[in-house]
Amino acid sequence: EVLLVESGGGLVQPGGSLRLSCAASGFTFSSYRMTWVRQAPGKGLEWVASIKQDGSVQYYVDSVKGRFTISRDNAKNSLYLQMNSLRDEDTAVYYCARDKCVGDCYLDYWGQGTLATVSS
Amino acid sequence: SYVLTQPPSVSVAPGQTARITCGGNNIGRKSVQWYQQKPGQAPVLVVYDDSDRPSGIPERFSGSNSGNTATLTISRVEAGDEADYYCQVWDSRTDHFIFGGGTKLTVL
């Protein structure tokens, strides 16, 4: 059974940092691209960042470029999102998800999410 | 950048058919996915590649895609289908995921 479990969310002041983690199990983690998607309170889904299987290439939505860093440790079956210079508008539930790419890509499994709240 | 447009809400009586649309320029040339999100839960993939269903998703859920509109159709709607539904496409030029704004399905 594919399982994705996020952790690391919490309350942080504007300008602060958080590191989110996603523990993966039930599949060969190193064979899949992985992605973070966020959802602000009462809002829709927003793609945040993705990373290739070997960690060599990362992709980011413009609003987080230079502030967020996606990374992975294939030996630990773990995905990370380092979030720096946090803003009020980064407040959201952050989901990690597994990419399924057959030509185009989609997200076939999602974690339950972790809430990051940016507030003074 | 590519934009996906969904109606904010759709209402349907139990047992009837719900149709949720996703508009985009020449979306018929892209592969469209649909996710269901119930309150307080993570999204779940219900349709991929326009019309395929993951294992465990009821046959009542189907998809189509042509021209400038993709459609998620839910037949014989049940109270448990009440949720937000999001369409998604892949931007192969930038390797980015693009989501529609979401549609809240209300079962009357």
Side-chain angles (χ1 to χ4, degrees), chain A:
Chain A
E1 178 196 7
V2 172
L3 199 58
L4 299 169
V5 179
E6 302 93 337
S7 60
L11 174 64
V12 63
Q13 292 186 340
S17 298
L18 275 178
R19 188 192 194 211
L20 307 183
S21 299
C22 173
S25 60
F27 65 102
T28 304
F29 181 70
S30 59
S31 296
Y32 289 85
R33 266 181 53 128
M34 296 294 295
T35 286
W36 288 98
V37 174
R38 68 184 177 184
Q39 186 171 36
K43 302 297 185 182
L45 302 175
E46 180 185 32
W47 169 76
V48 175
S50 298
I51 187 168
K52 282 197 170 181
Q53 290 88 329
D54 62 359
S56 61
V57 183
Q58 305 86 36
Y59 309 88
Y60 299 94
V61 68
D62 285 348
S63 60
V64 308
K65 280 180 183 175
R67 301 188 300 122
F68 289 13
T69 301
I70 187 173
S71 63
R72 64 193 295 162
D73 185 336
N74 286 343
K76 294 183 177 180
N77 291 338
S78 293
L79 176 72
Y80 306 101
L81 187 66
Q82 177 67 43
M83 305 190 295
N84 298 331
S85 303
L86 283 162
R87 306 168 179 167
D88 290 350
E89 56 264 34
D90 296 318
T91 293
V93 174
Y94 286 75
Y95 297 100
C96 80
R98 189 180 83 167
D99 293 22
K100 185 67 180 279
C101 298
V102 183
D104 287 6
C105 295
Y106 56 91
L107 301 168
D108 62 350
Y109 288 94
W110 298 61
Q112 282 303 304
T114 187
L115 175 63
T117 303
V118 184
S119 175
S120 54

Side-chain angles (χ1 to χ4, degrees), chain B residues 49-95:
Chain B
D49 197 15
D50 295 340
S51 58
D52 290 334
R53 281 185 312 277
S55 61
I57 301 300
E59 292 183 5
R60 300 185 298 103
F61 288 81
S62 62
S64 62
N65 185 17
S66 179
N68 293 317
T69 305
T71 303
L72 173 69
T73 301
I74 309 171
S75 304
R76 302 181 299 283
V77 166
E78 303 172 357
D81 298 331
E82 192 162 275
D84 293 325
Y85 291 85
Y86 295 90
C87 59
Q88 173 256 313
V89 299
W90 170 253
D91 186 338
S92 58
R93 296 176 304 128
T94 59
D95 282 357

Side-chain angles (χ1 to χ4, degrees), chain B residues 4 8 14 20 30-31 45-46 50 62-63 68 75 79 81 84 98 102 106-107:
Chain B
L4 296 175
I20 299 172
K30 296 179 177 293
S31 173
L45 179 70
V46 293
D50 295 340
S62 62
N68 293 317
S75 304
D81 298 331
D84 293 325
I98 299 170
T106 299
V107 181

